[in-house]
Every structure is written in structure tokens, then in C-alpha cells.
Amino acid sequence: MADRRSATIKDVAAAAGVGIATVSRVFSGAGAVAEATRERVLAAARELDYRPSALGRGLKLRRSGGIGLIVPDVTDPFCAELAAGVLACARTLGGHVIVDAAHGDPEREAEIVDRFVEQRVDGIIARPAGETADWRAAAQVCSSVVFADRVLPGLTEIPTVLADDAGGVRSLVEYLVGLGHRRIAFLGAAAHGGEPGERERAFRDTLDRLGVPAEPDLVVAARPARDAAYAAAAGLLQRRADVTAVVAAEHLLGEAAVLVARELDLRVPADVSIAMVDDVPWAELCDPPLTAVARPGRDIGYRACELLLREPARRGRGGPVRLPTELVVRGSCGALRSGRR
């Protein structure tokens, strides 16, 4: 028995009593069509089980209908949440996502962007590793770009979705100072372009506002790698036995602080309180569970995808979109005691 012939756009046009161009406008979303006519075309398409050709539409419009997503590392818990948000939004809006990881390498990131442009994706969502000049050139050849979780100065025309990291660090420092801590150390990412990051600035500014000296020796920078994070935490806690609290700027540094404290036989929080930015799943499994600033990774990804697909008119208006963070208080922070045993 011969297979039933698939319905074509001509069949739909004939069944709806309209021209082929009208059917094309209905399914492409380009051009005005009366609501009654649109409903008639859609009803005819359902009756005939018509499926528009995504490949043919992509060739005609010179785009793939997909979104390119670039993250530093797909195994990173925060990046995984961000990607999940992008995927959820794209699924809701009928799009698909191509994911790649740059691993913090601007050259690799540039290669990924070039490949996405060749594939004619509808747009790119990225947590950028490159510099302003790199992405200015990329934005000129790609139809639309949205940044997630990192802003690049001088590129206000590129919409950006961020977490309120400064607010999260402020609430964490205020909490520790309220517990009586005065010698609070900061384990942060290495300064970008010679300037401290937003989290370090918020740490210093909050201590200054509360009248607590931010000792230069207690602000330690590390590359975003486990070995560098461990070395930075070990150097800090061995060099400064008077530190009573540690704020880690991200979860790799928080993990390093916990490991070093355990190896130095420091009790948490009796000898040293530890808290970090990023409430990753293992934070709740520590002994004691780790106080953390929860950042809305999934919401950042979802909102970035919305800006790309649903709200192009709002791109670049009013500055970055900032989503709130939340301080999650657990057992790793306690009131100041007399000192280490």
C-alpha cells in the first residue's frame, strides 16, 4: 500500500481558499494577515496534518531558527542551571538551542561564535570570556547577541541579564559583621583587566560603610581553577591565624576553603565561619551546611532567552536586567568566639 502523500502549502492554500503567499505569511509570522483568515489557514493545516518545512524556511530566511549558547563549562552547576533556563524558554517559544563551552578561553569563544554565525543561528546567548572589542566585532556579524551573568563595559547596546551580586555580598557581609566578626577575609576571582570585580568592590564598600577595616592582606585573588583556589585558601588560613570568617566569591573558592579548614583541623564555625557566593547543591551536604548567596541561574537563562526571542524591542534599553539574589543562612557561620583552639 502506497504511503499517503504529505500535504503541501498548495494543499493548505486550496483548502483555506487563499493564496500560497497568505499561508506563508501565517506560518512565518512575517506580514499582516486578518485574524479570521489566519484561523481559517490554521484550521486547514490541522485538517490536512500539514507541517511547514523548517529546513526550507531556514534557507529562505537565511537562518536556522536556532539559538547558540556559549557557557564557560557545561559541568559547572551554575552554568548548568543557566543552560536549563535557556532550554526551558526556547522550548516554550518553539526554538532549539545549540550549546558549546569556551572554558574561559577567548580564542575558543571566538571560534564558537564564528561557527554559530556560519550556521546562521537566530542569535547568541553567552557568558562572555572575551573582551569588549572581540564581542563588538561579533555583534556586527550576528543578528542578535544577549549576555548572561557578565557585563562588558562599553557594550551598552548588547542586552545583559545579571544577578544582583553586589546586593548578595552586601547582605552576607552585614550578616557576618552582625555576628561580631571583624577580621573577615575575601577569597575572590583574579581581577579582570586590573580592576576588582563587582563582588570584591561590594565586599570592601560594605565593610567601609560598617566601619570595619578591609585589610589588604585579607583580600586574596585566585584563578577560577581548583588548584589555584586551594592554594589561595591554604595560603590565607595558614598565614592569618586571626581570621574569623571567610567569604568565598564563588563555589570553587568555597569548596577550597572548606577543604583547607578540614585539613588544618579548624572547626567550622567554632574556629572560622565560611560562606560563599553560589548556592550549589553540595553546599547543603557539607558538615555543617554552608551559608551561601543563592544566584538565580535558571532565571537568568530564561530571561536572556526571552530578550532574544520575545522582546527584541527592549534590547539595550535601561541598562542590564538585574535579578535578585537570596542569602541562605546555614550552620557554617556562627557568632564570634575568642579565637582558634
Side-chain angles (χ1 to χ4, degrees):
M1 180 177 174
D3 292 337
R4 180 184 175 185
R5 182 178 66 88
S6 298
T8 67
I9 192 171
K10 291 181 180 179
D11 299 328
V12 176
V18 299
I20 292 175
T22 301
V23 178
S24 178
R25 286 198 298 273
V26 169
F27 283 100
S28 69
V33 179
E35 189 59 32
T37 303
R38 183 186 303 278
E39 291 299 325
R40 196 162 71 250
V41 169
L42 294 176
R46 286 193 297 269
E47 181 67 25
L48 295 172
D49 195 25
Y50 170 69
R51 296 287 188 273
S53 168
L55 177 60
R57 186 168 63 249
L59 291 172
K60 184 176 181 179
L61 298 176
R62 301 185 63 81
R63 61 183 187 179
S64 72
I67 302 166
L69 173 61
I70 307 174
V71 294
D73 182 356
V74 293
T75 64
D76 178 88
F78 180 82
C79 291
E81 282 292 300
L82 189 151
V86 173
L87 290 168
C89 181
R91 189 162 49 245
T92 300
L93 299 179
H96 66 276
V97 182
I98 308 167
V99 184
D100 209 334
H103 298 287
D105 182 352
E107 291 186 5
R108 181 168 180 170
E109 182 178 76
E111 293 172 358
I112 296 170
V113 171
D114 288 344
R115 186 166 65 252
F116 283 164
V117 171
E118 290 175 359
Q119 294 172 339
R120 295 173 180 165
V121 297
D122 290 349
I124 297 174
I125 298 172
R127 187 185 185 279
E131 301 299 326
T132 300
D134 302 331
W135 275 102
R136 180 173 286 112
Q140 290 174 351
V141 296
C142 184
S143 58
S144 54
V145 175
V146 174
F147 289 155
D149 196 43
R150 185 186 167 201
V151 63
L152 290 182
L155 284 180
T156 56
E157 68 275 18
I158 296 183
T160 306
V161 184
L162 305 169
D164 182 15
D165 288 339
V169 172
R170 277 196 302 269
S171 62
L172 179 52
V173 173
E174 288 169 353
Y175 172 65
L176 291 172
V177 171
L179 291 174
H181 294 280
R182 296 298 180 268
R183 291 190 178 90
I184 305 172
F186 183 81
L187 281 172
H192 189 75
E195 294 295 327
E198 182 180 26
R199 300 176 197 182
E200 181 182 331
R201 290 196 301 270
F203 174 81
R204 292 176 179 274
D205 292 346
T206 305
L207 285 180
D208 183 64
R209 177 170 55 82
L210 297 175
V212 178
E215 300 180 43
D217 194 34
L218 295 184
V219 177
V220 180
R223 291 182 295 102
R226 279 187 166 81
D227 56 348
Y230 182 88
L236 168 69
L237 291 176
Q238 289 176 329
R239 184 179 70 254
R240 292 294 300 262
D242 57 339
V243 167
T244 63
V246 175
V247 173
E250 52 108 77
H251 65 86
L252 276 180
L253 293 163
E255 176 185 301
V258 170
L259 291 175
V260 170
R262 183 179 301 163
E263 292 187 4
L264 294 178
D265 198 26
L266 297 176
R267 297 168 300 166
V268 178
D271 295 325
V272 61
S273 293
I274 298 176
M276 69 179 181
V277 178
D278 276 344
D279 187 24
V280 293
W282 60 260
E284 200 169 7
L285 303 178
C286 285
D287 183 21
L290 213 60
T291 293
V293 174
R295 306 174 67 242
R298 187 182 181 91
D299 292 344
I300 289 174
Y302 198 101
R303 189 73 183 92
C305 189
E306 276 190 324
L307 281 176
L308 191 73
L309 296 181
R310 180 181 283 172
E311 304 175 39
R314 296 187 59 185
R315 295 178 195 159
R317 294 186 179 179
V321 176
R322 290 189 181 270
L323 302 182
T325 56
E326 179 186 2
L327 177 61
V328 182
V329 175
R330 300 193 180 102
S332 66
C333 295
L336 179 67
R337 303 192 183 186
S338 58
R340 296 185 192 175
R341 61 183 178 182

